[in-house]
Amino acid sequence: MTSLIQVLKTPLALRSAHIIKRSLASTTNPTPSSTPTPQLDKQGPSTGYCFELTPEQREVQELARKFAREEIIPVAAHHDRTGEYPWELIKRAHSLGLMNGHIDAEFGGMGLSNFEGCLIAEELSYGCTGIGTAIEANGLGQSPVILAGNKDQKKKYLGRMVEEPLMCAYGVTEPGAGSDVANIKTKAEKKGDHYVLNGQKMWITNGGHANWYFVLARTNPDPKAPAHKALTGFIVDRDTPGVTPGRKEINMGQRASDTRGITFEDVLVPKENVLLGEGAGFKIAMGAFDQTRPPVAAGAVGLAQRAYDEALKYSLERKTFGVPIFKHQAVAFMLADMAIGIETSRLAWMRASWEVDQGRRNTYYASIAKALAGDVANKCATDAVQIFGGNGFNSEYPVEKLMRDAKIYQIYEGTAQIQRVIISRELVSRFTE
Amino acid sequence: MSLRILVGCKRVIDYAVKIRVKPDKSGVITEGVKHSMNPFDEIAIEEAVRMKEKKIAKEIVAFSCGPTQCQETLRTALAMGADRGIHVEVSGPEYETLQPLHISKMLAKLAKDEQIDLIIVGKQAIDDDCNQTAQMTAALLDWPQATSASKIEAKDGSLQVVREIDGGLETIKVKLPSVVSADLRLNEPRYATLPNIMKAKKKPIKKLAPKDLGVDVSPRIQVVTVEEPPVRQAGAKVENVDAVVEKLKALGHA
């Protein structure tokens, strides 16, 4: 690993001592549904594996669960139909402390561990992944600043997120470059104390509502310059002249979430808004993913759990050939396979999240979790529609939305194919060690 | 006015759980089942917190009696806004036979020890549905009581309380100190926000044993048997109203 990665890891490692005390007792949830674990009198040992949540983690999970079931679920279908941005829910989540959990206490945040953030993400996604994504995308946009921002940048851009419900966005993808981040074309030319940004970003979540963007741009025009020297990360205020969000894209699913193209035309960014320094952008952008892939995987598990719960309930009520359809093994087996997927993908995100909380590089586990959870979510949602039969295809029942929402989990935050590229790279590097 | 309020918070099986009777009919299954604060007690805590926000109260003490897990119930109360907690630890078979009389005696002793001005409890617990604790506590202390409260207004050393009764709403005035029991429509309890949940960890919980309060927890009532309600019988359809009346007469109901 280059020394740059060591620098990026230091902020996490300094905090991890405090986090380790909590995480050593932190663990997975062994019940086959998302009900909380039975409350035990004693905590598990602090060495070796422990699959029990701490009481604090349970409380965080309970709060998020209550919010999702009581406030998100009743309005999810409306936001899906109209595409209306869920401002009211965002304000509520913000007032309850469910947003911006990763921001350090020093800047007004709660300094939650990655694990606790993921617990929240899974519960919110159970309610609605579109609304969950709108809330969680803040985490993605903030990640580069949390990882690589200096004190002034953190105070300015993270501090404001805690004070009022503001959104931010992660602007890396372009119309011509998604998986191939190294090939982005947005240019940033140094002119005196500023950089001039020109280019186009696409599929930016929260693009239309963000207060500021993390933008990755090319500062070194030399086409032979490698990605980890040519790209720079910038923080760009929304109200800078020249920043133009496009129209809200109408997508297959997660329609409550706001996705847009953003055009940057001669946008002046002060040099104080450069993260780390010129050329550091690629590593920062990729480093952010190690933090954000576990919560996205957790979100996919939340959707899978919802699909499973709805399908199980329906299968015990709907009768065919004189019995509830659950009694037909074909249906029971589908639900069993859903349970297998949910249990294992939950364990996967928990491992990935726990690793990063220990201060270790979790890329291998994060990619496994994201790849697995995306596939599981899609399978569970499709099978849920199947179990509902004709009703499943209809918008009066909740599962068709789940199927439309699930697809993006195999695409964003690194496609299923890219995850496998990353995993295979990790495999070979471990082999040659 | 700056009242010190004592709020009783009982840890009960969560309202959403499907209750199952133990095979030996001695009680219901509580092992491994989700528990939470009695909903009426949540309403009681919420009312106390609102009184503190209106500066009518200066301190809120949350009380719970039971096994170690009651600390979680107290943490919820603290996260909602109580200032400190008192946990009287009773576990095992002693806990199984705990009754409202024991709790009333504990509340009465604590009210004297902690110089309490107002006791608010939920009107009943959703597990035993006794609706006795508030009344017995008031009697033990010789304090006035206002039960099934749906509205409380504090005015110069007394409370004006609207009570929900069978005939409608009754408004009474009780002098402080007094005991109030909270009914459903008193308020809508707040969510504890995540920052408050974190802050609650630093608030103190005092642990006591029943003998510290001079309370003998041996049971006065013995539960003979616990059974599930009878399975609902199928109904019958008839042609018209006259046939309904005939059938009812035949079954001895009219």
Side-chain angles (χ1 to χ4, degrees), chain A residues 109-126:
Chain A
M110 272 174 312
L112 291 183
S113 63
N114 188 288
F115 194 93
E116 280 151 357
C118 290
L119 283 172
I120 296 175
E122 186 181 327
E123 295 301 329
L124 295 184
S125 289
Y126 185 100

Side-chain angles (χ1 to χ4, degrees), chain A residues 4 22 36 45 103 109 137 151 180 183 209 216 220 226 231 264 269 279 302 331 353 382 392:
Chain A
L4 190 52
R22 281 188 284 174
I103 297 179
K151 204 148 173 183
D180 193 4
N183 240 320
H209 299 275
L216 195 65
N220 189 336
L231 306 178
F264 295 90
V269 182
V331 172
S353 178
T382 310

Side-chain angles (χ1 to χ4, degrees), chain A residues 231-246:
Chain A
L231 306 178
T232 306
F234 298 89
I235 305 173
V236 181
D237 277 286
R238 162 79 182 85
D239 55 13
T240 318
V243 176
T244 316

Side-chain angles (χ1 to χ4, degrees), chain A residues 100 104 227 247 285 292 298 353 384 411 418:
Chain A
N100 306 319
D104 238 4
R247 59 141 197 234
T292 55
S353 178
I411 300 171
I418 286 293

